[in-house]
Amino acid sequence: MREPRRAEPPAAGPDRGLHVAIVMDGNGRWAQRRGLPRVAGHVAGARAARRVIDAASDLGVGVLTLFAFSSDNWRRPRGEVARILALLRRFLRTEARACVRAGTRLEVIGRRDRLPATLRTQVERAEAATATGAGLRLRIAVDYSGRDAILAAAARLPAEGAATREGFARCLAPGLAVPDVDLFLRPGGERRLSDFLLWESAYAELVFVDRLWPDVTRDDLAAALADFRARDRRFGGLPAPAARA
Ligand code: FPP
């Protein structure tokens, strides 16, 4: 049985408030290596998502965005798409309860108009049930494309007035503001962005790990955060001592 989550907010720590984005890659290969159908990899991937959400909450991550289904994933066989979407619906149902207990606010980003009505309903329920969560902000990207998100934001820009970076960011996230991605983590051995959070990741630190997503543990997230903390983030400026000189 799953362990109950902590209800209290995470302790203050060096990673508090960071935005971590994860491409959950490698489910299919994980299953194939075991002689299992691909969907078994997605089921194991959902278990990994639970582990990593708990870890993010414990480690004081502020925002966690998980790429669950890309707008290009519609190209997969209809059966696999249906199984992933059904899995997501079940995940949202159980996750919403866990999020309420943990004080996690759950949001789903991406297009909703192409999702099955039952999944849309579940998304709305999960978001409503967790709307007052003051701990981890968990965002799950479903039918999401970074380029499409930028196009949609561009269409809203005229109403915003002047074309500034801040104004554009508001168009990109018309509801609750979203901080830029600090750590972009991709397990599964591939080294690409795959159309995920393109604007928001302008200065993200990229961490790639070879382990397939279903095998990812809280230690992997902790190690990625340690790697992140060792980076010198200059945002186009100079290292701190040189900047002071
Ligand atoms: C990429 O692995 C994974 C997906 C396209 C689906 C991700 C879905 C889950 C992790 C399960 C549901 C998610 C949540 C949040 C419950 P792949 O199939 O491309 O793997 P491969 O590169 O090995 O083929």
Side-chain angles (χ1 to χ4, degrees):
M1 214 180 111
R2 193 171 169 203
E3 280 180 15
R5 290 217 194 139
R6 301 178 345 166
E8 73 274 18
D15 303 317
R16 188 160 174 77
L18 292 181
H19 183 176
V20 177
I22 306 183
V23 178
M24 303 186 288
D25 191 26
N27 296 348
R29 278 165 289 160
W30 183 92
Q32 276 157 1
R33 284 177 195 176
R34 288 163 176 75
L36 298 170
R38 290 179 59 81
V39 68
H42 298 314
V43 171
R47 282 197 297 269
R50 294 209 170 94
R51 276 199 301 277
V52 170
I53 293 165
D54 284 349
S57 193
D58 291 346
L59 292 165
V61 168
V63 184
L64 176 68
T65 309
L66 300 176
F67 206 177
F69 187 81
S70 93
S71 297
D72 291 322
N73 287 150
W74 292 111
R75 294 187 192 150
R76 294 190 177 203
R78 207 192 301 209
E80 181 174 345
V81 168
R83 300 296 293 273
I84 293 176
L85 296 180
L87 190 59
L88 270 167
R89 182 162 46 84
R90 251 199 329 274
F91 181 85
L92 286 174
R93 202 177 55 229
T94 49
E95 198 57 30
R97 286 196 289 266
C99 284
V100 168
R101 285 197 297 275
T104 295
R105 178 174 188 158
L106 193 155
E107 298 158 50
V108 172
I109 61 167
R111 283 181 65 164
R112 299 206 179 168
D113 57 306
R114 299 188 289 197
L115 301 181
T118 49
L119 176 54
R120 251 190 341 257
T121 304
Q122 201 55 59
V123 167
E124 286 157 12
R125 280 189 191 147
E127 288 183 334
T130 63
T132 56
L136 173 71
R137 185 171 165 198
L138 169 64
R139 305 190 322 146
I140 300 185
V142 181
D143 196 1
Y144 174 87
S145 150
R147 288 192 293 197
D148 287 351
I150 288 171
L151 283 175
R156 289 183 204 112
L157 192 58
E160 180 66 32
T164 61
R165 291 178 181 181
E166 294 71 23
F168 192 80
R170 278 193 294 275
C171 296
L172 205 52
L176 203 55
V178 179
D180 278 353
V181 173
D182 296 295
L183 168 60
F184 186 112
L185 175 61
R186 180 167 190 147
E190 311 284 6
R191 278 138 175 80
R192 53 176 170 259
L193 304 180
S194 294
D195 199 13
F196 192 37
L197 301 175
L198 298 179
W199 172 278
E200 297 89 331
S201 297
Y203 274 103
E205 296 296 329
L206 309 179
V207 176
F208 299 106
V209 294
D210 289 333
R211 205 191 293 279
L212 303 174
W213 171 251
D215 290 328
V216 168
T217 64
R218 70 169 45 224
D219 288 349
D220 293 311
L221 178 63
L225 287 164
D227 186 341
F228 169 86
R229 284 195 299 274
R231 308 271 180 103
D232 180 19
R233 300 188 87 194
R234 296 192 296 278
F235 300 97
L238 297 176
R244 280 197 298 274

